[in-house]
Every structure is written in structure tokens, then in C-alpha cells.
Amino acid sequence: MDLSWMEWTWPTAIFLILLAAGLTVMSIWDMYVPSVKRKGFLPIPFTRGERFFISIVVFFAVMLLWLTFSDASLWYPLAIALIIDVIIARYG
């Protein structure tokens, strides 16, 4: 299988490894402590897995918007996205 078309960088690899680790941890956590739906500031009740998924989508959106409209460093949107993700995971 030829994967030379993909530019695999360390940040890409780290992100994918962390994403896989997060999904694994969430799956194991949900097996031992089943999640219940709760309502936070989001408009409908969500389980922690659904909030995790929403935070991943928000992370992608923040990063893509930053890449679209700015040429500055990617550390700023990373910090912004992580703060938003923690807020969604904790209070969403």
C-alpha cells in the first residue's frame, strides 16, 4: 500500500495517536462507569461521549477557520480549541 501521497508529520501523528487514545479511554470508562445524559449549557442533554464528539468537531472547526483566515502560528488556535473543548466536556 503506497501512502507516499500523505505528508505524515509529527504533529499529525501525535494528534491521531491522542485521538485514538481518547476514544479508547472513553470506551473503557463507559464500560465501567456508564454515562448518563445531563443538560449543561448545550441545548439538549448529552452523554460524555457525545460531548467528546462535539469537542472534536469544534476542535477541527477552530483549526480550519484559523488556517483559512490567518497565517499566524498554529499555537494560538490550538490553545483556543483546547480551552473550548475543556469547557464543552466539563460544562456542556
Side-chain angles (χ1 to χ4, degrees):
M1 181 178 239
D2 183 26
L3 295 177
S4 61
W5 60 271
M6 177 64 180
E7 184 65 36
W8 290 100
T9 62
W10 279 110
T12 303
I14 290 170
F15 175 76
L16 292 175
I17 289 168
L18 289 175
L19 182 60
L23 291 171
T24 303
V25 167
M26 291 293 290
S27 297
I28 293 171
W29 186 12
D30 203 38
M31 283 191 308
Y32 290 105
V33 183
S35 62
V36 295
K37 290 191 176 204
R38 68 174 177 86
K39 187 172 183 323
F41 66 85
L42 296 171
I44 60 175
F46 288 106
T47 63
R48 67 176 159 248
E50 292 166 336
R51 288 190 306 273
F52 183 67
F53 176 76
I54 291 170
S55 68
I56 291 170
V57 171
V58 168
F59 181 87
F60 283 133
V62 168
M63 296 302 280
L64 287 174
L65 286 171
W66 187 271
L67 288 172
T68 301
F69 297 113
S70 176
D71 291 332
S73 172
L74 290 178
W75 290 109
Y76 301 118
L78 178 65
I80 293 167
L82 289 176
I83 290 169
I84 293 171
D85 289 349
V86 167
I87 291 170
I88 288 173
R90 179 68 182 118
Y91 303 108

